[in-house]
Amino acid sequence: TAAAVVENHRLWGLEAPAVYPQRTERALPRILHDLAHDRKQATVILDPPRTGCEPATLQALGSQRNLRIIYVSCHPATLARDLKVLTAQGYRLRRLAWFDMFPQTAHFELAVCLVP
């Protein structure tokens, strides 16, 4: 939960993150507004459903130049589709890792880090 994330940061003595526990399409305008005046690089973590991100979400994120994007995916095909959009807008893949969260099945999670 959002409260647990904030509490964990407090316990570790870290600055509390801004947490928007809602659908990306709903939270994104506020997130981008909050980041518009921030000169530091921010990190946005996306964990979309199997269908991937909405095109408008990818366009809005791709237009930002102060974001590091962590994209978590359970579907390689939609991840590839969405990465094509983001890399065409100037982001580059910095790191990729896969996690076998469901042993003895064909399902796994991918996490990629994109930087401008």
Side-chain angles (χ1 to χ4, degrees), residues 11-23:
L11 290 172
W12 282 90
L14 302 172
E15 182 180 337
V19 178
Y20 304 85
Q22 55 195 242
R23 291 188 60 84

Side-chain angles (χ1 to χ4, degrees), residues 17-25 27-36 38 40-48 53 57-58 60-73 83 86 91 111-116:
V19 178
Y20 304 85
Q22 55 195 242
R23 291 188 60 84
T24 303
E25 298 79 24
L28 194 57
R30 182 169 171 212
I31 293 169
L32 296 179
H33 176 268
D34 290 352
L35 294 175
D38 195 348
K40 297 184 296 186
Q41 184 179 51
T43 300
V44 172
I45 302 172
L46 301 172
D47 187 5
C53 288
T57 297
L58 296 173
L61 290 172
S63 69
Q64 301 299 305
R65 290 293 159 245
N66 64 334
L67 295 180
R68 175 179 31 229
I69 301 171
I70 306 295
Y71 190 127
V72 180
S73 177
L83 288 178
L86 291 168
Y91 276 86
V112 298
C113 177
L114 298 159
V115 293

Side-chain angles (χ1 to χ4, degrees), residues 94-111:
R94 177 147 186 180
R95 178 170 277 170
L96 179 139
W98 70 278
F99 303 90
D100 186 3
M101 305 287 286
F102 310 101
Q104 301 176 13
T105 72
H107 301 286
F108 56 91
E109 296 282 323
L110 290 162

